[in-house]
Amino acid sequence: MKFERFIAKRYLKSRKSNRILSFISGVSVLGIVLGVATLIVVISVMSGFSDNLKNRILGANAHIVVNRMDVSPIEDWRTVQQKIASVKNVTGVSPFIISQVLLTSPNNVAGSVIRGVNANDEMKVTSIAKFMKEGSFADLNKKSSVPMIAIGKELAANLGVVVGDNITMVSPLGKKGPFGITPKMKHFMVCGIFDTGMYEYNNTLAYIDMSAAQEFFGLSDVVSGFSVGTTDFDLAVGIAGEIQKKLDFPFWSRDWISMNQNLFSALKLEKYAMFIILTLIIIVASFNVISMITVTVKDKKRDIAILRAMGASEGSISGIFKRQGMIIGITGTIIGNILGLAICVILMKFKIISLPADVYFMDRIPVKLDFMTFVVVSACSLVITYAAGLFPARQSAKLDPVEALRRD
């Protein structure tokens, strides 16, 4: 084993008589370095984008949503809330009322999705309070002659309002009268403007106090559903199943993954596709390894013949060139890991590439460093490099020593 490794290292060292081998070895290492580093950086950036999008979605949404399958109001909602809260790893339960309305201001009219919530409960299950750009989300509970409302940044821009302005909420489901259906209207004061980073939420979502929602929509003491917070959003799937078992029919418990399944499935597929495509860089680099070993075998025919004549087995000769390929693969993989890590750290620390925040919900390229990314990329690189060296290494072992010495 030491003998084969020693010979392999000697063959990789530069000699004045034949620098072409040194050049090919350097190109082989460089190709693997670039392939490994590129793959690590791209996968880390894509993971960062996925995590950023995940955080944005979970900023305005809970980890789990519970409602009735027939979408009818939940009457004995306090009992249901207690049952959900008793499930392991549930950190908060926020009842809500949801409906669609028109919001009007002196400047414009816009459609909106209204969520009636208890501000204290809602802040336990979502991060909406952290996204407030103006005002305070907790002011929804403030008692005043004019009830409060918190709206998204784009919705505020469309209506042309700021914190402290009044807007009018109009329900298309009004009361029937002698002149037809009369829309119900009520004035609200803007207590806060939030920016979740998601255009859809910023443009349509608005929050009011739950009691104000019940009064405006003519509801008794009922809710539409529950937002549920958990200790870890990655555990949401299992916790949603436990809630479903506890409540049973007609309740429906959905986790955030199933509610955004198409989006995250597309992101996962894109990550796998990029991994496969960029792995081709390492495969291309492995052809240099094949060329390098082939040239080395041709150049060292006399040495191989002497070693065979001295009693070296075919396995030993083949092992020399296998190790030669693995030395290149290991060297390139280690340097590639270091280079990839350095690039990721630089992207995290410095704003080298600026992104339009209104388009990408972030102003710099996000990076997520994951130990498994380095492990998987390194393993793929080493396997590809090892496989590339098998054929020329086996061919070297088939060399006839008598014929090689006769021709030398």
Side-chain angles (χ1 to χ4, degrees), residues 314-366:
E314 289 187 4
S316 295
I317 300 300
S318 176
I320 291 172
F321 296 101
K322 286 179 184 177
R323 281 166 178 76
Q324 189 178 15
M326 284 307 298
I327 290 171
I328 291 176
I330 293 171
T331 304
T333 300
I334 292 174
I335 298 175
N337 274 271
I338 296 172
L339 179 61
L341 177 61
I343 295 173
C344 289
V345 171
I346 291 172
L347 290 174
M348 292 172 66
K349 296 288 185 182
F350 304 101
K351 190 177 178 181
I352 296 177
I353 301 176
S354 297
L355 299 177
D358 56 337
V359 177
Y360 295 101
F361 322 128
M362 61 199 82
D363 61 353
R364 65 172 65 192
I365 292 180

Side-chain angles (χ1 to χ4, degrees), residues 263-316:
L263 175 61
F264 287 105
S265 295
L267 289 173
K268 182 180 286 188
L269 178 62
E270 185 179 5
K271 185 188 292 186
Y272 288 153
M274 290 301 295
F275 182 87
I276 294 171
I277 293 170
L278 292 174
T279 302
L280 293 177
I281 299 177
I282 302 176
I283 294 176
V284 171
S286 70
F287 285 107
N288 291 326
V289 177
I290 297 175
S291 301
M292 185 271 299
I293 296 177
T294 302
V295 172
T296 304
V297 170
K298 186 177 180 180
D299 186 67
K300 304 298 182 183
K301 280 184 178 180
R302 184 173 178 275
D303 293 359
I304 295 172
I306 293 173
L307 289 172
R308 289 296 308 278
M310 293 175 64
S313 64
E314 289 187 4
S316 295

Side-chain angles (χ1 to χ4, degrees), residues 56-124:
R56 295 290 182 178
I57 290 175
L58 292 176
N61 290 282
H63 300 167
I64 300 170
V65 174
V66 179
N67 51 23
R68 289 175 62 97
M69 291 185 178
D70 55 5
V71 203
S72 60
I74 302 171
E75 296 180 353
D76 190 15
W77 61 269
R78 289 181 178 82
T79 301
V80 178
Q81 183 180 15
Q82 290 176 357
K83 288 183 179 180
I84 297 173
S86 65
V87 175
K88 187 179 179 181
N89 293 321
V90 169
T91 58
V93 183
S94 175
F96 65 84
I97 294 171
I98 189 167
S99 186
Q100 293 182 332
V101 297
L102 289 175
L103 296 179
T104 68
S105 70
N107 305 306
N108 207 348
V109 178
S112 176
V113 175
I114 288 291
R115 289 178 67 93
V117 299
N118 180 291
N120 294 330
D121 289 338
E122 188 69 13
M123 288 188 289
K124 293 178 181 178

